[in-house]
Amino acid sequence: METTTHAASTRDPQRMLSVRIDRGRHAGAGDYASYRIPWRENQTILDVVTEIQRTLEPTLSYRFACRVGVCGSCAMTVNGRPRWTCRTHVRRVEEDGQIVIEPLRNMPRIKDLVVDMSGFFDKWKKAGNRFVGTATRNDPPANIAPQSRRRKLADAAIECINCGVCHAACDVVAWDRQYLGPAALNRAWSLFNDERHADPRAVLRQASAGSGCNACHSQGNCMTHCPVHLSPTGSIAGLKKNALMLFLQGG
């Protein structure tokens, strides 16, 4: 349901971008506001939201920090797909000069485009993702060979910055709210392979318990949508394999 329409003046009235933003004013139903702003070269979706907030709708709430693809806090759903809005150019996603912007899915909305990520991070704890070292400050740094198998497995998953895009894209999260989700399980896989960690088996037990790694249906949405091209699907497969081996060994 459209509720409001706003327009901004421009020198080129023929080149305008139509934007619909889900502001969610009524519980359980999308409530969209429509805006028209100038369509500029090299314009990102975050630029669009910022311009609307600064020139047309000062009450619009959204989240961002670095603006250069480092923090991941600007993630939103754009034309049905979760993305980092600071790295998404309008020309790549517009459809006949129109953009639809919504908050990330699978997380409660706080206001407008801002979601509550506390549940997302709670699942980190449930997956046993707190690093516990075996060394003290007085010990020399751990000597881990960069080319070791476990180091390579840990490195493959370590670049996650918890933007929540994979969590928003995951269908299993949508229908099983207890499922730990791809980000938490990807982190568990990295920690399981970290040779400095005190108890990798404990990580594996927590990551495979209940709605853990075995609840994954291997659809690959997390891998498809990851902005930094990680493969949580591969990490979860590794957890499943090692959890089965641990079970067969009686662990």
Side-chain angles (χ1 to χ4, degrees):
M1 177 178 66
E2 289 192 6
T3 56
T4 54
T5 303
H6 306 266
S9 61
T10 175
R11 297 177 204 168
D12 182 4
Q14 302 303 314
R15 190 171 175 81
M16 297 292 287
L17 183 68
S18 296
V19 184
R20 297 176 67 229
I21 296 180
D22 179 3
R23 303 200 65 187
R25 294 168 182 166
H26 302 295
D31 198 348
Y32 293 81
S34 297
Y35 308 89
R36 285 173 59 80
I37 65 169
W39 187 344
R40 301 183 177 90
E41 292 298 322
N42 298 319
Q43 194 175 27
T44 67
I45 297 299
L46 184 56
D47 292 334
V48 167
V49 176
T50 299
E51 180 165 354
I52 290 171
Q53 192 270 338
R54 291 181 179 176
T55 64
L56 301 174
E57 191 68 79
T59 63
L60 178 65
S61 296
Y62 63 108
R63 183 182 283 138
F64 75 97
C66 73
R67 301 184 69 92
V68 291
V70 174
C71 71
S73 62
C74 69
M76 304 170 200
T77 303
V78 182
N79 285 0
R81 179 176 178 136
R83 303 172 179 271
W84 288 355
T85 56
C86 70
R87 282 192 175 183
T88 302
H89 285 81
V90 169
R91 65 175 181 271
R92 287 174 45 205
V93 295
E94 59 85 19
E95 298 176 359
D96 296 323
Q98 299 184 39
I99 299 285
V100 178
I101 306 173
E102 302 161 301
L104 289 180
R105 296 166 183 163
N106 298 333
M107 286 174 269
R109 187 203 311 258
I110 296 175
K111 184 176 183 290
D112 297 334
L113 300 171
V114 181
V115 296
D116 182 355
M117 299 186 71
S118 57
F120 171 82
F121 289 111
D122 285 344
K123 289 181 178 182
W124 262 53
K125 301 173 188 176
K126 293 179 181 178
N129 285 337
R130 181 174 177 270
F131 176 78
V132 179
T134 56
T136 69
R137 291 178 180 272
N138 298 320
D139 294 322
N143 186 12
I144 307 296
Q147 298 304 314
S148 71
R149 179 177 179 274
R150 289 185 66 186
R151 183 67 256 171
K152 287 183 177 180
L153 290 171
D155 284 346
I158 208 168
E159 295 298 327
C160 174
I161 60 172
N162 297 305
C163 65
V165 164
C166 64
H167 196 83
C170 179
D171 288 336
V172 180
V173 172
W175 68 64
D176 181 359
R177 294 299 179 178
Q178 301 304 311
Y179 176 51
L180 295 180
L185 292 170
N186 183 74
R187 163 66 177 172
W189 177 242
S190 180
L191 198 57
F192 173 74
N193 288 292
D194 192 331
E195 297 173 63
R196 304 165 302 163
H197 187 59
D199 195 353
R201 285 195 172 196
V203 175
L204 192 59
R205 291 189 191 98
Q206 284 188 248
S208 58
S211 291
C213 63
N214 293 310
C216 173
H217 288 210
S218 302
Q219 292 172 307
N221 287 341
C222 53
M223 178 175 59
T224 300
H225 292 83
C226 178
V228 291
H229 310 296
L230 300 183
S231 177
T233 305
S235 297
I236 294 168
L239 289 171
K240 288 180 178 180
K241 177 181 177 181
N242 282 274
L244 176 60
M245 291 173 61
L246 182 62
F247 173 78
L248 294 176
Q249 293 167 5

